[in-house]
């Protein structure tokens, strides 16, 4: 007797048309008991200003430079950059199996706010708007010199970020990185075949299907992609065709959720942001990319539809604000 397929019960593979790869979905594994690593609770108290924190206003950084007493965003050159503008070329290769090419660029750090005890979700809309405007400005500036500008934030100790001060990084490179190459190639091929941007059609389809939507607004969509690899991975999309951050209107900038932005000048490209939370089951159970995922293919347990349902059910009040409310009630 044939068994009816149910995505929430039966393993299957899903295709990612944006990055041209597949992911194994094994939702039945959510039934297994967890005996793996449990992360320590999040640090709940962060000093608003620490003179020894190199990202704080007025602090001295490792290279001896002193930060200004900034009151908004603060952009500066990374003191230990992965890319430098004047690196020499490795020269021609003597064998096709040993190829190396020049890699030049710049790396910057952007502080979002002068206080260390806030994050983007806890900032006011005008403060967040200032961050988006600064992103657009640095994208315009570096994009005039380099073919790729990547804005990203490694947030929290679980992601290897040891400094709690709200900040991100901006890397501009003389080459197109691997993921950007795959996304550009896929979007170009889709536009050539179907006559419209891949992510525009994908956003329309998700609006119709609804089961992976997390948030919608007049200008933006937040959803768990059909092909998501990380359990609570989300994708941010504008609801109109926008290629790069500088093209966002004032209203779109005011309402923009924040993520790791990817934008480019090509007409087939759609501005989008990826969120990759490292969580597996809860705030203290982490997802590790090991074993099969390192050697063969990405794999996830929770289905994207189940993840989106959980995210939709979360309160809109930030957990830290909710915690303060509970503490106040307990004291009263």
């Amino acid at each position: 007797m044939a068994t009816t397929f149910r995505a929430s019960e039966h393993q299957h593979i899903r295709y990612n048309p944006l990055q041209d790869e597949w992911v194994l979905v094994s939702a039945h594994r959510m039934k297994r008991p967890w005996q793996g690593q449990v992360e320590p609770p999040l640090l709940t108290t962060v000093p608003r200003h620490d003179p020894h924190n190199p990202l704080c206003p007025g602090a001295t950084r490792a290279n001896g430079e002193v930060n200004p007493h900034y009151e908004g965003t603060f952009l500066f050159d990374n003191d230990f950059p992965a890319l430098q503008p004047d690196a020499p070329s490795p020269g021609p290769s003597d064998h096709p199996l040993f190829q190396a090419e020049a890699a030049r660029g710049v790396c910057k750090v952007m502080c979002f706010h002068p206080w260390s005890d806030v994050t983007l979700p806890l900032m006011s809309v005008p403060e967040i708007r200032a961050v988006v405007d600064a992103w657009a400005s640095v994208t315009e500036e570096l994009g005039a010199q380099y073919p790729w500008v990547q804005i990203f934030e490694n947030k929290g100790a679980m992601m290897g970020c040891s400094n709690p001060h709200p900040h991100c990084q901006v890397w501009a490179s003389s080459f197109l990185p691997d993921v950007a190459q795959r996304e550009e190639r896929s979007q170009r091929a889709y536009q050539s075949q179907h006559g419209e941007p891949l992510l525009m059609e994908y956003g329309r389809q998700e609006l119709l299907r609804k089961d992976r939507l997390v948030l919608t607004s007049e200008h933006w969509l937040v959803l768990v992609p059909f092909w998501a690899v990380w359990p609570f991975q989300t994708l941010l999309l504008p609801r109109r065709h926008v290629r790069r951050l500088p093209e966002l209107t004032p209203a779109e900038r005011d309402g923009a959720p924040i993520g790791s932005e990817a934008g480019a000048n090509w007409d087939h490209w759609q501005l989008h942001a990826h969120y990759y939370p490292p969580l597996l089951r809860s705030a203290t159970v982490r997802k590790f990319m090991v074993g099969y995922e390192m050697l063969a293919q990405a794999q996830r347990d929770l289905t994207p539809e189940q993840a989106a349902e959980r995210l939709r059910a979360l309160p809109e009040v930030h957990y830290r604000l909710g915690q303060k409310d509970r503490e106040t009630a307990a004291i009263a």
Side-chain angles (χ1 to χ4, degrees), residues 17 23 29 51 58 69 71 86 92 123 145 218 229 244 289 296 315 330:
V23 56
R29 281 167 50 88
H69 290 276
E71 297 181 351
D86 54 358
M123 291 164 54
Q145 307 170 57
E218 180 183 358
V229 170
R244 304 167 64 239
M289 290 290 189

Side-chain angles (χ1 to χ4, degrees), residues 92-140:
S93 170
D94 63 355
H95 193 281
L97 297 180
F98 300 92
Q99 297 188 50
E101 295 184 4
R104 301 183 180 93
V106 296
C107 298
K108 293 181 178 290
V109 175
M110 181 188 295
C111 295
F112 301 148
H113 197 279
W115 296 353
S116 294
D117 60 345
V118 301
T119 62
L120 277 168
L122 295 173
M123 291 164 54
S124 68
V125 171
E127 289 171 336
I128 296 173
R129 168 64 187 273
V131 172
V132 177
D133 286 343
W135 282 353
S137 178
V138 73
T139 297
E140 193 80 65

Side-chain angles (χ1 to χ4, degrees), residues 306-319:
Q306 291 169 330
E309 184 177 8
R310 291 193 188 185
L311 292 173
R312 285 194 300 267
L314 292 174
E316 292 189 5
V317 177
H318 193 277
Y319 75 94

Side-chain angles (χ1 to χ4, degrees), residues 77 81-89 102-107 145-146 172-174:
D77 290 336
L83 292 163
Q84 297 178 324
D86 54 358
S89 173
R104 301 183 180 93
V106 296
C107 298
Q145 307 170 57
Y146 298 98
S173 60
S174 61

